[in-house]
Amino acid sequence: MSRHPGLINKTEFPQPDNFSWTEENLRKIDKIIDKYPKKRIQSAVIPILDLAQKQNGGWLSQKAIEKVAKTLSMSIIRVMEVATFYSMFNLEPVGKNFVQICRTTPCWLRGSDKLTKIAKKFTKCELGQLSEDKLFTIVEVECLGACCNAPMVQINNDYYEDLNENILLKILEDLKNNKDVKSGSQIGRINSKPLKQC
Amino acid sequence: MPTIIINDEKIEFKEGMNVLQACELAGIEIPRFCYHDRLSIAGNCRMCLVEMENSPKPIASCAMPATDGMKIKTNSKIVKDARHGVMEFLLINHPLDCPICDQGGECDLQDQAMYYGFDKSSYKENKRAVNNKYMGPLISTIMTRCIHCTRCVRFSTEIAGVDDLGLLGRGEKAEITTYLEKAMNSELSGNVIDLCPVGALTNKPYEFQARPWELKKTETIDVFDAVGSNIRVDSIGKKVLRVLPRINEDINEEWINDKTRFAIDGLQKQRLDKCYIKENERFQETSWKKALDRIILQINKTSSKNIMTLSGKLSDVETIFSTKMLFDNIGSNNYECRIDNVRIEPKARVSYTFNTGIARIEESDLILLIGTNPRWEASILNARIRKSYLNNNTRVALIGNKKDLTYDYEYLGNSLKILEDILNEKNDFSLLMKESKKPMIILGEAALARQDGNCVLNVCRKMCEKFSIVDKNWNGFNFLNSSISKIGALDIGFYNESFSADVQKNIDKFCSNKESVVFLLGVDEIDMDIFQNSFVVYIGHHGDRGAHRADVILPAPAYTEKDSLYVNLEGRILQAHQCHAPLGDAKEEWKIMKMLGDMLGANMKFKNLHELRELICLSNELFREINVLHKNKFSTFGISGEIIESPIVDVINNFYMTDPISRSSKTMAECTSDILKLNKDALIPND
C-alpha cells in the first residue's frame, strides 16, 4: 500500500454508522481481558482490535475503533495509535479475500514479483486497492516466515505455498467462483520436507 | 551519596537520577529534544547520546539511570560524531523554512543545529511533507516541521489529563494529531506551544506578528484567576503580543492556562481611553478636569453616608488601598469587595485563603472538593491536584456538580447536607478523613455564595477540628477564591462590617430609594439595575456592563500597563510590572484617587507609588514580603445554623469568558464556540 491507511483519519470512503459486539465476541472479550491484570485491561487492546477486525469483515471502521476504546475504557486516540502502528490492522475496507504476497528476499528470488503481477492483472487493481467485485485486495508484505516453501501468499487466515503464476491464478479463480481451495503447499510437499531424498 | 565520573571529574548525585541530570549537576549541557524534566522519559530523539565506559555504542543519557562509579564522557569524538549523525537524521525531513517560521530565533532545533550539527547533508532524496492538522483556535500546526519528540503527546496525557493528542502511524509515516482533528479539549493546551522544540506547534493568534528579538519582555503576574501565575509579557510599543509562563515552583511550575496566554487580544478591544460624561443618555468625550469636577460636584451634593465604592475582579492592592484611604478621609466606610456574596469571614484570614499552599497539594493523601470546579476556577491548581493524584495516589472526593476534572474522584452528591453527615460520621467518607494523614478540604465560592454560607463555613471548621485537618505542620483548610482582587481587598480591610449579613441585599438596600454616589472599580459582574437612583462613576479599562451604566467614566490601565501588587489565593503577595504605558488618557487608579482626594481637601498621605506602598505595608505588615506564603493562625469562624438542602450552582459557566478583558477577546470567543460547544458533554457540568 502506498500510504498507511491509518493516517487517513478523515476517511474518504463511507463508514458504517455503528458497530456492536456480537454475543459470541462479548464472551470472547471477557476471556481475553481475564488474561491481563485487572487494572491493566488496556493491555488487551491488540487481541480485541483483532477480534473487531474479524467481526467487521477484515477491517476496522471508525465505530469499531471507538467501540474497542469504550470496551477497554481507553481514549480513542490511544487505540488509534495501536491500530495505525501495526500493518495487520486495516483501516480501509478490504476484499473478501485479503491476499498478502510475501516479497522478502527468499520469496522474491523465487519469483514473488511475478505473483504480484499476475494477481494485479487478475483483479484489475493496484496494490492496496479493493477490486470492483469487492472480492479481492492484494497487498505485498514482508516475510511471513514460510521461506522454505517460497514463494508464498497468505489469503485471509491460510498460507498457500510453493506457488507459481499458474497455481496462484487457479487459486484466485477458484476463490472468485466460490470453490474450495486447498491451503498449504500446492505441490504436495509435506510441511517443509525436502522434495527429493538426497 | 553515589558518585559518577563525568569527563574525568567526580560528581555526587542523588539516587534515581539519570545520566543527563547528573551531567547537568556537573554543569555540562546535554542537547536534547524529547527529554523534559516534568514529563515522562521517551528517549526517542537520540540527541542526548553520550559515551559510557564499557558500552560498545553511545547511550541515550536521558533514559539511562546513573549508577555509582559510572564513567561518562561528553566531549569525546564518539559523542561529537553521534550528535552530528543524529542532527543530520533529524534535519533530513525538516524543512528549511526558518525565515518564515514563527519559532525562528527561539528554536531548539535551530540553536542545536548551530552548536552540534554540521553544514552538509548526504541526503539527496525528496523530503517528506505532512498535512497540517486542526487543533483548535489556539494552536497553529505546520506538521512538516515536526520531529516526533512526542512532548506534546506526553504533556496532554500526563499533565493536562486529556488523552487528545497521539502519534499515529509509524516510522517515516508517523504523524501527531488529535482524533479526527478535533480541537484539543484542555485549558492548558497552550503549553504544548512552549514545549514544542521546533515550529510545528505555534501560537495561532501570534502567528507572523513578531520576531522574538524585537519584543520587550516584562516579567509580571497573571490576573485572570486567583492563582497569580508568574508570566512574561512580550510587547511591542503599546501592544501586548504574547504571554509566556515564568517558572515559579510554588505556584505555576512552568505552565499557564489558555485564558492567561490567549485573552490578551482583549486588551486592544473595547478599551476606555478617554474620560466620558453621560449627557442625555449619551456618552460625551471629555477632559480629566471636567470629569473630575463633575464627580466632585456630585460628591459635595451628597452626604458622605450615601457614597459607596465596590471593587471588581481585577483590582490591584494599590487601587483598593488608595480608594479606601479616600473614603476614610471623606467619612464614609461604605466600601465592599464581597459583591459576589461569598460569605467569607474577613476577620479570620485563615478562612479565606488557600492555606495548604499550591505546592504542598502534592503531599496530601485525601482531598475533599466542596462546591468547586478547580479545572475552571484555577486550572493550574487543578493540574497540581492531578499531579498529586498520579504520584501520591491521592484520593479525591467531590461534593457539587459532576464534571470531568481530569482525574478520578469519588462523587458524594450535590448537597451540602453531606458535610453534616461527614461531620457526624454518618457518611463512609468520615472514616477516610479520620485515617488520612494529610487531608485537605477545598471549599469553593459556590459553596459559600448562599444564604447558609456561614453555616457551611462553620461545619467545615468543625470538620477541621474533629478530623485534625489542621495541626502544627499542616493546614488542610482551603478556600478556593477565583478573583485575584478579593484577598488583597480583605487584607486591607476593604469591606463594611455592617454589610456582612447579606452583602448583596445590603448593597441593594443602600442604593434603593435615595440618591447616592457609587464608585465602581472595574465592577461588571453585578446587577446594574440596582443603581437606578445612583450617580455611578466607573473606573476601569473596558467598556463592559459597568461602563454602560456609568454616569462618568474614568479610564484606568489594564494589568499589563501598571506596576501593582496582587494577592493570590494562597495569600501570597505578588508584584506585577508595567509592560507599556497606559492606552490613551488612562491614569492609574491610585493617581485618580490622589487627584480626587486633593480636590476634596482630603489628607492623601502619599505622593508617589513608593510612598503608597510604604503606607500599605504600614497598614498590614504582610505586604512587606513578596512571594512568601504566610502561615495563618487557625481560629474560630462560621456561624452555627442549619444547612439548606439545595443544589450547588457553579460560579463559572464559561471558562474562556470570566472578566471584561476575556469577554472582549476574539480568541476567547472562538474558544467558546469551538472548544466549549463542540465538547459540551466533556466540559459542561451537569451534562
Side-chain angles (χ1 to χ4, degrees), chain A residues 121 152 154:
Chain A
K121 202 174 151 198
M152 57 81 64
Q154 181 184 353

Side-chain angles (χ1 to χ4, degrees), chain B residues 100-237:
Chain B
I100 56 145
C101 175
D102 259 344
Q103 195 86 353
E106 51 184 9
C107 173
D108 287 356
L109 189 67
Q110 209 176 28
D111 294 347
Q112 292 182 29
M114 291 300 288
Y115 279 113
Y116 305 106
F118 62 127
D119 57 354
K120 285 185 195 69
S121 170
S122 37
Y123 189 73
K124 301 280 188 301
E125 289 76 10
N126 287 332
K127 291 191 175 218
R128 87 183 184 136
V130 183
N131 288 342
N132 292 344
K133 309 286 187 296
Y134 177 77
M135 282 191 196
L138 304 175
I139 304 164
S140 166
T141 64
I142 301 96
M143 295 319 280
T144 306
R145 296 180 188 147
C146 178
I147 57 166
H148 308 130
C149 68
T150 67
R151 274 188 189 178
C152 51
V153 177
R154 282 175 283 147
F155 173 84
S156 67
T157 315
E158 290 159 20
I159 312 262
V162 291
D163 269 344
D164 274 358
L165 290 179
L167 182 82
L168 301 191
R170 62 164 154 173
E172 197 192 14
K173 308 260 165 71
E175 292 182 17
I176 301 276
T177 183
T178 52
Y179 181 63
L180 302 182
E181 297 198 22
K182 277 181 190 148
M184 195 176 157
N185 183 3
S186 166
E187 306 72 45
L188 299 172
S189 68
N191 292 300
V192 299
I193 297 164
D194 295 338
L195 286 171
C196 185
V198 296
L201 306 178
T202 53
N203 189 325
K204 208 177 228 176
Y206 170 73
E207 208 167 24
F208 309 134
Q209 297 284 308
R211 283 301 191 185
W213 56 84
E214 315 171 307
L215 298 165
K216 182 189 171 198
K217 301 163 181 82
T218 315
E219 304 202 326
T220 183
I221 299 298
D222 164 55
V223 298
F224 288 106
D225 56 28
V227 172
S229 299
N230 288 205
I231 53 170
R232 190 187 95 192
V233 174
D234 289 0
S235 56
I236 292 184

Side-chain angles (χ1 to χ4, degrees), chain A residues 1-4 6-7 9-11 62-63 65-66 74-78 80-81 84-87, chain B residues 131 133-134 153 156-157 163-171 173-175 177-182:
Chain A
M1 283 182 211
S2 57
R3 70 171 162 161
H4 198 290
L7 287 177
N9 65 358
K10 271 190 183 155
T11 49
Q62 254 175 44
K63 294 287 167 200
I65 287 177
E66 283 166 21
M74 292 169 79
S75 65
I76 303 167
I77 193 84
R78 290 283 99 81
M80 272 298 271
E81 283 182 332
T84 55
F85 187 88
Y86 294 101
S87 57
Chain B
N131 288 342
K133 309 286 187 296
Y134 177 77
V153 177
S156 67
T157 315
D163 269 344
D164 274 358
L165 290 179
L167 182 82
L168 301 191
R170 62 164 154 173
K173 308 260 165 71
E175 292 182 17
T177 183
T178 52
Y179 181 63
L180 302 182
E181 297 198 22
K182 277 181 190 148

